[in-house]
Amino acid sequence: LPPSGLLLREGRSCPRPEALGRSRSRRLLGPTPVWATGPEGILRAGARAGRAAMAVTLHTSHGDIKIEVFCDMVPRAAENFLGLCASGSYDGTTFHRNMKGFMIQGGDPTGTGKGGECIWGGHMEDQFHADLLHDRRGIVSFANRGPNTIGAQFFITYERQDHLNNVYTVFGKVLDGLDTLDDMERVPVQGKKCRPVDEIRINSVTMHANPIADAS
């Protein structure tokens, strides 16, 4: 499908930053519980640790995927993703679109492909960086329905996708779990929207102050 296949309509709200705190299923590996300070505190902890020093592990029904988050290059996009992770907004959500050789998309709390707001409510602006491109397998970006309409939904590329550059905001890459991504890509789909026949679910998310921390 062309890039427009990723354009989404989003509309369900998620917790605001002030509501973030000791949310369910949160586990931070490290001495400082930065998730208790909300997304801004998470970013400050990442900045103290060094360049691109934040990571999360998505514990899915098909295995774990660890994602490095580029806090320094796209700070507002990173804040949105980390805030959604910290609030538990992704817990129990499914990947509703699975396109072999292209990408897998999820993060919609409604499961329809039409929901999900950013942590500030509604949509946020795009954020691009010259060094962040859809140039390999495992790039993580926000979905949108046009310019400056980022909400909660995101996708992970299966292959290089140059036509997505400067259209969708890249905020991370897969550090570990490409074998899990392989398993996801093999899940059969149905219908024009490529919905997985067997559910691919995010059960919970672990947040790391250090991207090379052990995910166990």
Side-chain angles (χ1 to χ4, degrees):
L1 291 181
S4 59
L6 280 177
L7 300 183
L8 302 175
R9 187 179 302 275
E10 301 161 321
R12 181 172 171 178
S13 63
C14 63
R16 301 292 190 270
E18 59 268 20
L20 303 180
R22 296 178 177 273
S23 53
R24 62 187 183 281
S25 303
R26 294 285 66 74
R27 300 187 300 278
L28 176 73
L29 301 186
T32 305
V34 295
W35 42 260
T37 67
E40 292 182 358
I42 293 168
L43 286 180
R44 285 195 297 271
R48 288 194 299 269
R51 181 181 182 276
M54 290 299 299
V56 304
T57 296
L58 307 181
H59 303 288
T60 81
S61 53
H62 287 61
D64 290 350
I65 297 178
K66 177 178 273 190
I67 298 170
E68 179 179 357
V69 182
F70 303 127
C71 300
D72 60 335
M73 291 187 278
V74 283
R76 189 165 172 84
E79 184 176 358
N80 185 45
F81 181 70
L82 293 171
L84 290 164
C85 289
S87 70
S89 293
Y90 291 135
D91 292 1
T93 61
T94 60
F95 288 93
H96 60 273
R97 182 174 293 166
N98 190 24
M99 305 175 73
K100 184 178 176 65
F102 185 19
M103 60 88 213
I104 185 166
Q105 183 173 324
D108 177 9
T110 72
T112 65
K114 299 179 179 180
E117 293 189 352
C118 73
I119 58 172
W120 299 280
H123 302 107
M124 62 167 282
E125 70 281 1
D126 299 318
Q127 192 171 32
F128 303 120
H129 191 285
D131 293 334
L132 299 181
L133 303 173
H134 299 86
D135 58 357
R136 70 192 72 180
R137 185 175 181 84
I139 294 298
V140 190
S141 300
F142 278 118
N144 64 49
R145 59 182 183 88
N148 302 314
T149 57
I150 291 173
Q153 294 187 41
F154 65 92
F155 62 91
I156 307 173
T157 59
Y158 284 139
E159 303 292 346
R160 181 181 183 132
Q161 306 293 340
D162 291 336
H163 61 285
L164 303 184
N165 295 336
N166 297 315
V167 179
Y168 299 95
T169 294
V170 174
F171 64 85
K173 69 177 181 180
V174 174
L175 282 176
D176 190 25
L178 289 174
D179 54 340
T180 297
L181 205 60
D182 292 342
D183 290 343
M184 290 178 170
E185 190 174 14
R186 285 192 288 265
V187 174
V189 300
Q190 58 186 351
K192 294 181 179 180
K193 295 185 177 180
C194 299
R195 192 171 190 87
V197 173
D198 300 317
E199 186 177 82
I200 306 174
R201 176 180 293 271
I202 299 174
N203 295 319
S204 62
V205 182
T206 294
M207 304 188 69
H208 310 280
N210 183 339
I212 62 172
D214 183 357
S216 62

